Amino acid sequence: MPERTPDVAAIITAHAEGVMAGLSFRSLLDAVGVARAEGIGVEVLVVLDNPTAATREVFAEADEHGARVAEVSYADQGKVRNHAVGLTTAGHVAFLDGDDLWSENWLADAHRMCAGAPQVIGHPELNWFFENQQNLYFLPDQTDPDFDPALLRIANPWDALCLAPRSAYVDHPFSARAVADGYAYEDWHWMLETYRGGYVHRVVPETIHFKRRREGSQYVQARARKVLTRPSELLDYAWWQERDRSV
Amino acid sequence: MRSIRLRRRPDEAPPAIESEDTGAAAGRERPALARRMRAAAHPRFYAAQVGDPSLADDVDAAVRHYLEHGQQAGARLSGLFNEGVYLERLAERGLGVAAGETPFVHWLTVGWDERVVPTVLFDEAFYVARHPDLAQGPEWGFAQYLRAGCYAPGRSPTPFGPNYGGVPDRDARERQDPPLVAGLLHRAAEFDLSRTSWLEEGVQRGAAKLAGLDTERMRTLVAKAAAIEPLVAQTPKERWVSWPPHTHPMVRPTAAAEQVRRSVGLVRADTMVVVPGGAEPGPGVRAVVAALRTQEPDATVLVVTTDAPAPALLAGATRTVDLSGPFAGMTDARRLLGLLDLVRGLRPRRVVVADSALGWRLLTSYATTLRHETSLVAVLREATEEDGAASVAGDFQACFDRLDRVVTDTDAQRDDLVARYLLTSAARCRLVSAAEVGAHGLDALAGGGGARA
């Protein structure tokens, strides 16, 4: 019997999180357990990018939890994610950062929403930021009649910790960071490209991502350095004029 | 608790509330009612409902109009009074408004003293917790917010943020035009403003979202995460909630950017000239625009004004778009996003920044990136006593390395920069005067630049 292609690849990426990554891994394994209990085939991948010794140590026995571990040296979250997608043949891919947590229903509920619709990308209903100050960010659903897609030109309403068809990552790989040239926000650019490519960004009701506030995160660094997303047709007024005509 | 309620029969006409200034108010109670009504008035919000722009900047005229017409028509004089919310909250206390009585007047006379907050746009517990100094003050929290807090950029009245504040105009308090009015009037055509608004609907929907966290299902999910990472459930000092498209700080800047995109009527511009507008431009800008007209007569030149509409000299032979209207009341950071949207949306071959503080901010913030997408030119005017040499020098120093050309108003200014900065011959080539642009035309502006769309 040929081995069944996994339905979902649950991928955790880590770098210098140290022992905190253990909490994230535990959260991921809980969500994997819930999904498998619903009959969803889940593959678990750990991708470490220039890991510190402490981070590597956290995943030293990951195979005992059924996880495969890969180590890369990119210092670039987009490239790490692109690499990770290449390691799996699963129909859908879900990423978790090494210091964040999923609500345990995330994989199961998101897969249920996305599995039947080939171009749907699932986002949690709520990003629950913790440490220091609590921010609750309810993510928008682009099918909400009040959602204005022009928001994508001004801000990124979603983030890369979503569950998406593998094809979304293959057709639209994350762009490389080039901070010295003023380009970053690869996840924002990915949202622009997938939106333009016809993917539909939906919210999975009653799901939560718990996100740690980090002063030194790549996002915070990018904001401080005044970088921009790479150019995209979705930033181009010509695209919007065409859209005006078609709507 | 003392009430200043006016005692009248339900079938009586609404009370005639005289201005305190006239001294004609009868009895001891009416001045307080008049004072409160005036303090609560937001004339621009009221004017939008009754369709009379002349009332927008005149508090007393708006109050008079309300008493004579708006009250009977059911218009709202205050953006911080919502009849539906008030009646609901009053009922929770076992109180009501008699038939024929105007709920707004009832609030000013009874509800105020009962400390009933008549709007979803203010959460007293949140506000006082965030601004504990107010607990010692003479006013209740909502009265303080109405009088002063709603004009202060740092005062957030609910966990949903500062009511789409942006920045108040310098005379906003005098005109009683707090930034929240912009949120109340956002997409005004879609709402019956006498009953509700985009801002109030958004906060109400956000509150409903927040209430959803109290379901058994969500509580369980949070508890399970907290069992792994206890910090998840740590009681926060404060909680902020945002939710596009309803309660998110970038919703109004997005709407403004869309307004600009639709009004500009272009999808491409060859050259974009960013100026403050208002005053006549200096010699450097005039030389650049003249060269463009002469040598690229068919090219599209878009003049973008950041602070006031374009002066006639530039408007005559070019396309213009003014950002100051759509982005009025927004922070510089959000205005900058609007300018950036225009630049990246129109993909000009050349961007010329002249005198505009926002334009210079575009260069100092994003020239590293934009130089890969367009040619960047700055026009450096001679320092005036008003802005000082340090300011002009600061702009020059912050950007010169990333600009294809800098145009000075005068030869002397150019020579001074060459001497002061010991510019090499290669760097000197990127510095030209208005006279050189006049003599050599666009050749003087033909910089290296980045890849052009």
Side-chain angles (χ1 to χ4, degrees):
Chain A
M1 287 279 288
E3 206 167 291
R4 177 187 166 192
T5 300
D7 298 308
V8 178
I11 302 175
I12 182 169
T13 61
H15 160 56
E17 294 81 358
V19 72
M20 273 193 310
L23 303 176
S24 302
F25 191 39
R26 162 80 195 281
S27 150
L28 178 142
L29 293 173
D30 284 356
V32 168
V34 170
R36 284 177 176 158
E38 294 196 14
I40 299 168
V42 186
E43 173 186 28
V44 179
L45 289 173
V46 177
V47 182
L48 305 177
D49 183 22
N50 291 321
T52 59
T55 301
R56 189 182 286 119
E57 171 67 21
V58 168
F59 296 100
E61 296 170 358
D63 58 333
E64 293 179 13
H65 300 285
R68 272 197 293 152
V69 181
E71 198 166 313
V72 296
S73 180
Y74 291 122
D76 181 324
Q77 189 73 295
K79 286 181 180 174
V80 173
R81 290 187 179 128
N82 290 340
H83 181 92
V85 169
L87 297 175
T88 181
T89 56
H92 287 79
V93 173
F95 285 107
L96 177 65
D97 284 348
D99 52 1
D100 298 337
L101 292 86
W102 286 336
S103 60
E104 67 168 15
N105 62 338
W106 165 243
L107 286 179
D109 288 8
H111 184 263
R112 195 178 305 118
M113 169 179 272
C114 298
Q119 287 213 296
V120 168
I121 294 173
H123 296 273
E125 180 178 4
L126 172 62
N127 278 350
W128 174 301
F129 291 92
F130 64 96
E131 278 207 25
N132 301 323
Q133 175 184 86
Q134 189 185 68
N135 284 21
L136 301 178
Y137 176 68
F138 290 93
L139 286 81
D141 188 315
Q142 78 172 64
T143 64
D144 180 341
D146 283 327
F147 178 74
D148 182 355
L151 178 66
L152 284 162
R153 303 204 309 261
I154 303 294
N156 179 16
W158 301 299
D159 65 52
L161 302 192
C162 50
L163 185 142
R166 185 173 178 278
S167 62
Y169 297 104
V170 173
D171 297 344
H172 305 285
F174 289 100
S175 56
R177 295 168 68 83
V179 174
D181 285 333
Y183 292 112
Y185 296 129
E186 59 278 357
D187 51 351
W188 186 353
H189 187 258
W190 189 78
M191 300 305 160
L192 296 172
E193 294 302 291
T194 50
Y195 183 92
R196 186 181 63 83
Y199 286 91
V200 181
H201 292 262
R202 301 289 315 274
V203 156
V204 184
E206 295 189 317
T207 56
I208 310 172
H209 287 181
F210 301 93
K211 298 169 78 85
R212 198 179 303 271
R213 276 268 178 235
R214 291 161 294 168
E215 292 306 315
S217 70
Q218 289 188 347
Y219 174 77
V220 171
Q221 288 174 20
R223 276 187 64 175
R225 295 192 69 157
K226 295 288 184 190
V227 295
L228 298 173
T229 61
R230 287 184 181 276
S232 164
E233 275 188 44
L234 213 74
L235 302 176
D236 187 338
Y237 283 7
W239 188 91
W240 289 89
Q241 187 182 62
E242 283 303 309
R243 181 179 183 273
D244 290 345
R245 287 178 181 147
S246 64
V247 172
Chain B
M1 198 174 290
R2 181 179 177 275
S3 171
I4 61 162
R5 181 175 190 169
L6 294 175
R7 293 171 189 82
R8 67 183 174 84
R9 290 189 300 275
D11 56 347
E12 281 180 340
I17 302 164
E18 311 270 359
S19 163
E20 283 181 281
D21 298 337
T22 66
R28 295 171 56 197
E29 294 170 337
R30 293 190 178 215
L33 172 56
R35 187 175 64 247
R36 289 175 182 177
M37 181 174 287
R38 192 183 189 286
H42 297 131
R44 189 157 69 95
F45 176 61
Y46 178 72
Q49 294 167 70
V50 299
D52 186 349
S54 70
L55 300 172
D57 285 323
D58 190 333
V59 179
D60 293 315
V63 171
R64 275 196 304 275
H65 190 281
Y66 173 76
L67 292 170
E68 290 166 10
H69 309 287
Q71 184 174 203
Q72 287 86 343
R76 284 197 286 171
L77 181 61
S78 175
L80 287 170
F81 178 84
N82 182 294
E83 182 178 317
V85 173
Y86 178 60
L87 294 177
E88 190 180 311
R89 293 183 176 179
L90 205 59
E92 287 169 4
R93 298 180 182 216
L95 299 171
V97 177
E101 196 166 8
T102 306
F104 181 50
V105 173
H106 186 274
W107 175 66
L108 293 171
T109 53
V110 177
W112 183 296
D113 293 323
E114 295 288 335
R115 300 196 168 187
V116 179
V117 174
T119 175
V120 296
L121 301 179
F122 184 84
D123 177 333
E124 182 146 29
F126 176 88
Y127 191 68
V128 173
R130 183 163 165 72
H131 309 293
D133 54 304
L134 300 178
Q136 310 304 322
E139 300 166 293
W140 60 304
F142 183 65
Q144 190 281 338
Y145 178 69
L146 184 69
R147 179 182 58 78
C150 67
Y151 302 99
R155 301 281 194 188
S156 288
T158 72
F160 298 99
N163 280 339
Y164 300 84
V167 285
D169 291 340
R170 259 174 292 186
D171 60 348
R173 193 162 168 179
E174 184 185 323
R175 292 188 294 110
Q176 295 191 193
D177 188 29
L180 71 92
V181 169
L184 292 166
L185 297 180
H186 182 57
R187 292 167 51 171
E190 299 171 31
F191 298 92
D192 175 359
L193 294 178
S194 68
R195 294 180 56 250
T196 188
S197 64
W198 175 80
L199 185 57
E200 291 160 287
E201 289 294 306
V203 170
Q204 270 182 319
R205 290 213 218 173
K209 274 270 195 194
L210 210 48
L213 291 179
D214 268 340
T215 62
E216 183 65 29
R217 168 84 159 155
M218 293 297 260
R219 279 205 305 266
T220 301
L221 293 173
V222 173
K224 287 190 173 179
I228 298 173
E229 169 53 286
L231 287 175
V232 161
Q234 194 177 45
T235 304
K237 185 175 168 222
E238 55 191 17
R239 173 186 264 191
W240 295 99
V241 184
S242 62
W243 177 34
H246 302 287
T247 60
H248 190 271
M250 290 304 166
V251 170
R252 280 193 52 239
T254 296
E258 272 294 84
Q259 184 184 340
V260 169
R261 179 183 73 83
R262 291 174 192 279
S263 69
V264 76
L266 296 170
V267 296
R268 285 289 177 272
D270 294 291
T271 298
M272 188 180 289
V273 181
V274 184
V275 295
E280 286 296 320
V285 185
R286 290 202 302 270
V288 169
V289 173
L292 290 167
R293 282 178 187 155
T294 304
Q295 293 183 253
E296 293 183 355
D298 298 327
T300 305
V301 177
L302 178 68
V303 173
V304 182
T305 54
T306 54
D307 303 283
L313 180 67
L314 291 179
T318 53
R319 304 287 291 263
T320 63
V321 64
D322 179 38
L323 301 186
S324 64
F327 285 91
M330 295 193 203
T331 62
D332 281 351
R334 289 171 194 170
R335 293 169 63 224
L336 182 60
L337 291 176
L339 178 57
L340 190 61
D341 182 65
L342 193 61
V343 170
R344 298 192 98 189
L346 291 174
R347 299 186 173 189
R349 287 186 289 123
R350 184 188 295 118
V351 173
V352 180
V353 168
D355 293 351
S356 161
L358 191 67
W360 276 105
R361 190 160 172 187
L362 178 81
L363 297 178
T364 55
S365 298
Y366 296 116
T368 300
T369 314
L370 294 177
R371 65 188 301 205
H372 301 292
E373 301 172 18
T374 186
S375 178
L376 298 174
V377 178
V379 178
L380 201 65
R381 65 174 174 176
E382 275 198 298
T384 61
E385 279 187 20
E386 190 181 318
D387 51 28
S391 161
V392 174
D395 290 339
F396 176 79
Q397 290 169 197
C399 300
F400 183 65
D401 293 345
R402 287 163 283 158
L403 302 179
D404 292 314
R405 285 291 183 277
V406 170
V407 179
T408 59
D409 276 351
T410 66
D411 289 351
Q413 189 187 2
R414 175 203 60 201
D415 295 342
D416 176 61
L417 291 169
V418 170
R420 262 197 299 141
Y421 289 91
L422 294 176
L423 294 182
T424 63
S425 55
R428 162 71 181 80
C429 290
R430 294 193 286 122
L431 188 62
V432 295
S433 67
E436 286 175 299
V437 174
H440 304 292
L442 295 181
D443 290 343
L445 294 180
R452 312 290 180 256

